Amino acid sequence: MDMGGSKFVIHPIVVQDGDTSVLVDTGMPGHEAQLIELMKQAGAGDGPGAIILTHQDLDHIGGLPYFLTNGGRKPDLYAHADDKPYIDGELPLIKMPPERREALLQSLPEKLSQAFERVFSPESGPNVTHTIADGEKLPFGGGLVVIHTPGHTPGHVCLYHEPSRTLIAGDAMIVQNGELQGPNPGVTPDLPQALRSLRKLNDYPIDTIVCYHGGIFKGDFAKRIEELASSV
């Protein structure tokens, strides 16, 4: 994505389940057409039937206003209960102070800005249709296990895709210069908790990790995760 003249790369995931495409995270507002085009290229239809949010940050929920207001059937929306009030607009996003929100709204086309205000307003009613909990198995793509990994946000989750032994890490970790790192400290309010949360990942036989920032990583996960968790 082009963000103020600089390149900003994200790695959202689509899980195909029969005729339904399940989108994990929605990118920044204003880039929905790009995301839908990539879904088409991947053979995943022209829009999601369901959306799972790993957490409440803007670059993960920013596409919601488009997907919830563009007409047609609204996708089911899954998120952890601890981030639900923020995604529903009942509470302000933890990392978006009022001045940043106002600057964002002014930068968006009028129609999208209005949709953003409407969707993330308590008056519009809840956006999240299904709250998810630690250890829950979602019935998509042969099974997606929810792993609650708080710290980056209270309701941050990773998702473990059992058939492919793939961890969808959200922002629990990043890949930087080919190395697996913990979450970005500058945007992780409770870094010690976030790092401790990583120990839960060692309960799963992981072959591949996909980080929202940095992409795919393969390697000795258990050793690296223990190193990160022990650095608190």
Side-chain angles (χ1 to χ4, degrees):
M1 300 184 295
D2 183 12
M3 299 296 295
S6 62
K7 192 175 183 182
F8 183 72
V9 180
I10 59 172
H11 297 81
I13 296 288
V14 174
V15 178
Q16 192 71 13
D17 190 75
D19 295 332
T20 301
S21 296
V22 181
L23 177 64
V24 181
D25 294 328
T26 66
M28 292 286 286
H31 293 86
E32 299 82 11
Q34 186 179 358
L35 186 53
I36 289 172
E37 179 57 32
L38 290 171
M39 290 180 67
K40 289 179 180 177
Q41 292 175 19
D46 56 0
I51 295 172
I52 306 171
L53 297 174
T54 60
H55 62 293
Q56 62 172 279
D57 285 352
L58 180 64
D59 56 333
H60 295 255
I61 70 169
L64 272 185
Y66 174 85
F67 290 115
L68 297 181
T69 64
N70 70 339
R73 178 186 173 277
K74 290 184 180 180
D76 294 329
L77 183 59
Y78 295 73
H80 192 275
D82 290 348
D83 270 10
K84 181 180 187 296
Y86 304 93
I87 296 166
D88 285 347
E90 296 173 3
L91 295 173
L93 300 176
I94 290 175
K95 303 170 198 175
M96 179 170 277
E99 60 273 14
R100 185 183 173 201
R101 178 186 171 102
E102 186 59 31
L104 171 70
L105 292 173
Q106 291 181 4
S107 72
L108 297 175
E110 183 177 2
K111 183 177 179 181
L112 187 55
S113 175
Q114 291 174 350
F116 190 96
E117 284 198 282
R118 184 165 67 253
V119 165
F120 296 116
S121 165
E123 286 76 29
S124 66
N127 297 317
V128 177
T129 58
H130 299 77
T131 54
I132 55 180
D134 187 48
E136 180 179 357
K137 185 187 291 187
L138 303 178
F140 300 123
L144 281 174
V145 180
V146 177
I147 309 169
H148 184 210
T149 47
H152 187 69
T153 70
H156 187 285
V157 299
C158 299
L159 300 166
Y160 177 65
H161 184 239
E162 290 184 313
S164 66
R165 294 163 59 112
T166 297
L167 181 78
I168 303 170
D171 283 0
M173 294 176 285
I174 63 174
V175 177
Q176 191 171 47
N177 299 321
E179 185 177 81
L180 193 63
Q181 303 281 2
N184 184 339
V187 288
T188 302
D190 193 336
L191 184 60
Q193 183 185 41
L195 292 172
R196 288 192 298 268
S197 292
L198 297 180
R199 283 201 171 98
K200 299 170 77 171
L201 305 179
N202 281 331
D203 293 338
Y204 299 87
I206 298 167
D207 289 338
T208 305
I209 295 177
V210 184
C211 298
Y212 198 70
H213 302 285
I216 293 174
F217 182 86
K218 295 177 181 286
D220 188 349
F221 306 125
K223 179 181 178 182
R224 182 59 181 148
I225 287 170
E226 185 57 35
E227 288 174 350
L228 292 168
S230 300
S231 66
V232 179

